[in-house]
Amino acid sequence: MTHASFFAGRELIDEEFKTLPDEHIATRPAIHFDGGQPRCNRCNNTTNFASHPCARCGNICTYCRNCIEMGKISSCTTLYTWIGPPPEHHENAGTLHWTGTLSAGQKTASSNVERAICHSSEHLVWAVAGAGKTEVLFQGIASALFAGKRVCIAAPRSDVVRELAPRLTTVFPDTPPAVLYGGSPDRNTYSPLVIATTHQLYRFYHAFDVLIVDEVDAYPYTFDRSLQFAVQKARKPESALIYLTATPHAEWQSEVKKGKREATLIPARYHRHPLPVPKTEWCGNWKKTNVPKNVLLWVKTKVEEGQRLLIFYSHIDTMEKALPLFKEIDLRIESVHAADPLRKEKVAAMRRQEIPVLLSTTILERGVTFPGIDVAVIGAEDAVFTESALVQLAGRAGRSADYPTGEILFFHYGKTDAMMKAIRQINEMNRLGIERGLIDR
Amino acid sequence: MKLCLLCENETEIESWLPFFGAKAPRLCPKCLEKLVKITGPSCRLCSRPMEESGICSDCEGWGESVFVSNQSLYVYNEAMQSIIARFKYRGDYVLASIFADDVRRMTLAAACDLICAVPLPPTRLAERRFNQSEALIEAAGLAHVSLISRSESDKQSKKSRMERVNATQTFYPIGDAAGKSVLVIDDIYTTGATIRLVAKALMEAGASSVKSITIARSGS
Ligand SMILES: [Zn+2]
Ligand SMILES: [Zn+2]
Ligand SMILES: [Zn+2]
Ligand SMILES: [Zn+2]
């Protein structure tokens, strides 16, 4: 591996490389002091620091606690970047190996993305769940790679990164992507195409001509300012920034409507059926009952009909209390949450149709698709079920062309604004889909 | 309002407690409850949990020495492993303060003349930027004396139990502890090999007896 391909676009600390090139390297201190106030140059943290007498430099050193998992940064740490010529691309970089066809909605988005990439501008792709947003990127990425540009797709969660990787390897076999997440084997691999968790962007500096941020609405990106900082740090000053989302937050929605934000909306699914619209049903105080009577009845009827279900709970404890009550209907019913050690196995079993009903916290709200399921949310008025979370949950139903309908029920103990806005958003998408001829009736 | 050093959730303290000078805990209740104190019968020499108090088979095998006893605070469970990994290997110095009160209390109870840290080999110290043993002592607001030093050695944590038991001496005396009782404070007690080598070097420095305190007790 050459120095150029090892260092290009990255900003590293001493512990992250073996030898330092004699030339083409720029440095800066890892912690910046502004009137005595520390700021981490890697993660932009300004609040979470500690200090101690440092055996390396002999001073009292301040260190960043926010990004310490990526290797400790102290006030005596130096950051190194490559300022030499970038590595050469493969001669077939940008050759697209894909024979699928785009829907009419995807086509518009694809050419808008390509234009934004060409002009190094910003663009938002607002595509409903099931619209096929990844395919929308192919053409733009191809022309960027062909032009010798470096492209990164960043997603907030490593599952999404791992899921995207094989798809992009298939369509760009001449430039297989470097896939980066905590503990990934590709850590030091150079590729003009990178797929990374947003967290991994901290290690890059002015690296990308095209930065695509998937699931911009998703936790933790929306909540973590330092991650937004990482996006800005990783892209070149002159670069394209593409955002993908199924449900932009309110501020962006209104910017799009007012024409203040460049965006393409794909209001309909690839299979050209309308999005199933959630219904609401009062279920009393579910925190007391864990499984309200009408919920139990609904589940029982569905299970007897052989209908598979995905049921969302806001909190693990309520869900765990509810599970034994559901198991009385069918012992194969399972629950899953973020820290569940059997999470992957349970999701796979659900996919193989071995589990009739899966209870879940909101971890399964995006990404995961099971064909032919109905969806219920218990306690839909809970604060964790924001408008965007509810739209995402609803987006799990009716995904396959063979079973495009699906029922969605918001069981609640008092309707909320978020619930009504989510339903309104879904209806609005269907209306636009019909109006634009993207839905068959 | 204080944030938990581990999960950054808020720590809780009864609102009337600060009146009596109580400080907010460094960990939230959720993180705190994962730490398990060693209670019940244990080995008189090394505080290994046992069926009934006495001297464990390991300690019997060590034979006579100036080393008197070890006291460990917590079980080396998953939560403790991750705290120590973050503290020692990631270098999150401030985590030493979690144990400040414990260390101070046990130091008083041990009633020794001097406190001594376990030195690190020079290259390891530069790598880690601080010595975890010194950090624990400093965080507790205690003073320590340089009585021994350490030459370069292989990485202790990668060695097998057998190799550790037969570890060669890398500690040597540099100070005077003539006739004094010395307390050594460290993060983990595993086989007792390290502390016995430390005790030997302290004896050469003149120490009359050596006790140790560790945050965690690993090994079955
Ligand atoms: Zn930082
Ligand atoms: Zn330093
Ligand atoms: Zn905590
Ligand atoms: Zn013992």
Side-chain angles (χ1 to χ4, degrees):
Chain A
M1 174 173 279
T2 63
H3 281 311
S5 60
F6 185 88
F7 281 94
R10 302 207 288 169
E11 188 168 49
L12 302 175
I13 58 176
D14 285 281
E15 286 85 350
E16 289 172 323
F17 54 82
K18 284 205 184 78
T19 52
L20 192 65
D22 298 330
E23 47 177 3
H24 305 314
I25 287 286
T27 62
R28 61 172 176 157
I31 294 184
H32 172 85
F33 285 89
D34 202 357
Q37 281 302 314
R39 177 169 58 73
C40 175
N41 268 331
R42 182 165 65 185
C43 75
N44 210 35
N45 160 39
T46 54
T47 53
N48 193 7
F49 291 92
S51 59
H52 63 83
C54 175
R56 212 180 276 184
C57 68
N59 299 317
I60 304 282
C61 266
T62 300
Y63 69 95
C64 175
R65 295 193 69 231
N66 187 54
C67 64
I68 196 166
E69 290 297 329
M70 307 184 82
K72 183 171 176 173
I73 273 187
S74 282
S75 40
C76 65
T77 304
T78 302
L79 295 173
Y80 300 87
T81 47
W82 177 254
I83 47 168
E88 299 271 328
H89 283 188
H90 188 277
E91 57 179 6
N92 290 333
T95 311
L96 179 60
H97 295 250
W98 185 65
T99 50
T101 44
L102 297 174
S103 71
Q106 282 175 310
K107 246 180 229 160
T108 319
S110 174
S111 52
N112 287 343
V113 166
E114 193 180 6
R115 189 175 317 118
I117 286 174
C118 186
H119 294 159
S120 293
S121 56
E122 270 191 34
H123 197 80
L124 168 71
V125 177
W126 176 357
V128 297
K133 58 188 159 95
T134 309
E135 293 82 355
V136 155
L137 303 172
F138 291 167
Q139 194 51 53
I141 294 176
S143 58
L145 292 175
F146 184 73
K149 292 178 175 179
R150 199 171 184 196
V151 179
C152 175
I153 306 177
R157 292 173 310 123
S158 60
D159 333 4
V160 181
V161 168
R162 278 193 293 258
E163 194 186 289
L164 279 170
R167 297 177 69 187
L168 280 131
T169 308
T170 312
V171 295
F172 296 110
D174 303 305
T175 53
V179 186
L180 308 177
Y181 49 88
S184 75
D186 284 5
R187 200 169 54 229
N188 291 324
T189 314
Y190 178 88
S191 172
L193 181 57
V194 172
I195 307 176
T197 54
T198 26
H199 218 84
Q200 293 297 321
L201 295 178
Y202 284 143
R203 288 210 174 88
F204 288 90
Y205 182 76
H206 292 181
F208 302 107
D209 304 278
V210 179
L211 187 51
I212 299 160
V213 187
D214 198 2
E215 299 192 339
V216 260
D217 51 289
Y219 176 86
Y221 187 76
T222 27
F223 300 109
D224 197 333
R225 289 191 147 221
S226 69
L227 281 174
Q228 298 196 36
F229 159 84
V231 165
Q232 293 304 335
K233 188 177 95 150
R235 64 189 288 219
K236 287 184 181 170
E238 168 116 357
S239 60
L241 184 54
I242 311 292
Y243 292 114
L244 302 181
T245 177
T247 58
H249 53 82
E251 199 181 316
W252 282 20
Q253 283 190 32
S254 82
E255 282 176 23
V256 170
K257 278 170 194 148
K258 287 179 193 146
K260 280 188 188 161
R261 180 172 281 280
E262 290 266 346
T264 312
L265 176 65
I266 313 179
R269 289 182 161 166
Y270 190 79
H271 61 41
R272 302 183 61 83
H273 293 274
L275 301 163
V277 181
K279 286 178 285 192
T280 60
E281 192 172 318
W282 194 83
C283 70
N285 190 352
W286 51 274
K287 280 180 188 157
K288 278 213 176 114
T289 52
N290 299 315
V291 184
K293 270 197 187 121
N294 51 342
V295 173
L296 199 68
L297 189 68
W298 182 77
V299 173
K300 210 173 204 163
T301 320
K302 288 284 179 182
V303 169
E304 277 161 12
E305 287 168 2
Q307 174 59 47
R308 290 178 323 116
L309 307 173
L310 198 52
I311 299 179
F312 290 99
Y313 270 86
S314 53
H315 300 286
I316 298 179
D317 20 335
T318 334
M319 181 173 82
E320 294 305 316
K321 279 182 207 148
L323 182 64
L325 301 171
F326 283 118
K327 275 195 182 282
E328 284 174 19
I329 300 174
D330 191 319
L331 272 173
R332 294 170 304 161
I333 294 177
E334 285 294 345
S335 71
V336 67
H337 57 90
D340 190 337
L342 294 176
R343 178 174 158 184
K344 279 197 183 108
E345 287 78 1
K346 286 175 183 171
V347 169
M350 180 74 182
R351 227 175 238 143
R352 289 195 304 268
Q353 315 208 350
E354 289 164 12
I355 294 179
V357 178
L358 187 60
L359 313 182
S360 172
T361 54
T362 53
I363 51 152
L364 292 185
E365 73 187 38
R366 47 187 91 238
V368 182
T369 51
F370 309 107
I373 53 157
D374 284 349
V375 174
V377 180
I378 315 298
E381 81 284 0
D382 194 278
V384 304
F385 295 122
T386 57
E387 174 188 355
S388 105
L390 288 170
V391 170
Q392 288 282 4
L393 302 183
R396 301 306 103 209
R399 289 293 281 269
S400 79
D402 301 329
Y403 190 89
T405 48
E407 189 174 10
I408 304 153
L409 268 172
F410 291 167
F411 287 102
H412 65 88
Y413 187 39
K415 280 183 201 169
T416 58
D417 213 29
M419 286 161 64
M420 301 329 289
K421 276 186 172 161
I423 293 173
R424 211 178 304 144
Q425 192 185 130
I426 292 167
N427 277 321
E428 175 74 1
M429 289 296 146
N430 283 337
R431 192 186 63 75
L432 285 167
I434 291 163
E435 194 179 286
R436 297 183 190 179
L438 301 172
I439 289 174
D440 301 323
R441 276 186 300 175
Chain B
M1 185 194 69
K2 273 250 173 205
L3 297 186
C4 171
L5 283 176
L6 294 177
C7 69
E8 285 161 36
N9 283 321
E10 280 175 40
T11 59
E12 283 164 30
I13 182 163
E14 298 272 2
S15 55
W16 51 270
L17 276 173
F19 277 118
F20 300 93
K23 275 181 281 166
R26 310 304 314 259
L27 299 184
C28 72
K30 268 204 167 146
C31 290
L32 213 50
E33 97 188 1
K34 290 182 192 149
L35 302 185
V36 180
K37 285 220 169 163
I38 297 175
T39 52
S42 61
C43 170
R44 266 207 313 278
L45 288 185
C46 70
S47 83
R48 160 193 283 178
M50 298 209 299
E51 296 271 301
E52 46 191 290
S53 290
I55 293 177
C56 76
S57 54
D58 263 18
C59 287
E60 264 178 348
W62 284 109
E64 280 301 302
S65 113
V66 285
F67 176 62
V68 179
S69 67
N70 170 70
Q71 272 233 311
S72 299
L73 273 159
Y74 294 94
V75 180
Y76 193 50
N77 59 6
E78 214 176 299
M80 187 52 84
Q81 281 174 40
S82 86
I83 290 180
I84 289 186
R86 184 169 165 131
F87 168 54
K88 186 155 84 168
Y89 301 116
R90 293 286 170 199
D92 200 359
Y93 182 94
V94 74
L95 296 188
S97 62
I98 297 170
F99 308 107
D101 290 342
D102 286 327
V103 168
R104 219 174 7 245
R105 186 172 41 75
M106 288 175 60
T107 301
L108 276 176
C112 290
D113 300 325
L114 301 171
I115 301 173
C116 176
V118 178
L120 284 175
T123 46
R124 177 77 27 80
L125 178 62
E127 223 173 84
R128 295 214 189 127
R129 291 187 169 97
F130 66 85
N131 175 328
Q132 79 275 358
S133 164
E134 286 177 15
L136 289 167
I137 300 168
E138 284 158 12
L142 302 167
H144 55 97
V145 209
S146 295
L147 296 172
I148 53 173
S149 193
R150 189 172 189 176
S151 52
E152 295 296 341
S153 70
D154 312 329
K155 195 165 187 179
Q156 182 75 217
S157 62
K158 276 193 182 154
K159 284 186 196 165
S160 71
R161 187 185 168 85
M162 205 50 205
E163 283 171 311
R164 262 195 257 188
V165 170
N166 298 321
T168 49
Q169 179 63 290
T170 51
F171 300 101
Y172 56 93
I174 54 163
D176 182 18
K180 306 275 189 193
S181 57
V182 181
L183 178 67
V184 178
I185 299 175
D186 204 3
D187 57 341
I188 317 178
Y189 183 102
T190 310
T191 62
T194 310
I195 184 62
R196 281 180 168 81
L197 293 173
V198 167
K200 220 170 154 193
L202 285 169
M203 194 185 70
E204 287 164 32
S208 58
S209 70
V210 176
K211 286 184 187 174
S212 70
I213 290 174
T214 70
I215 300 309
R217 175 70 170 87
S218 93
S220 50

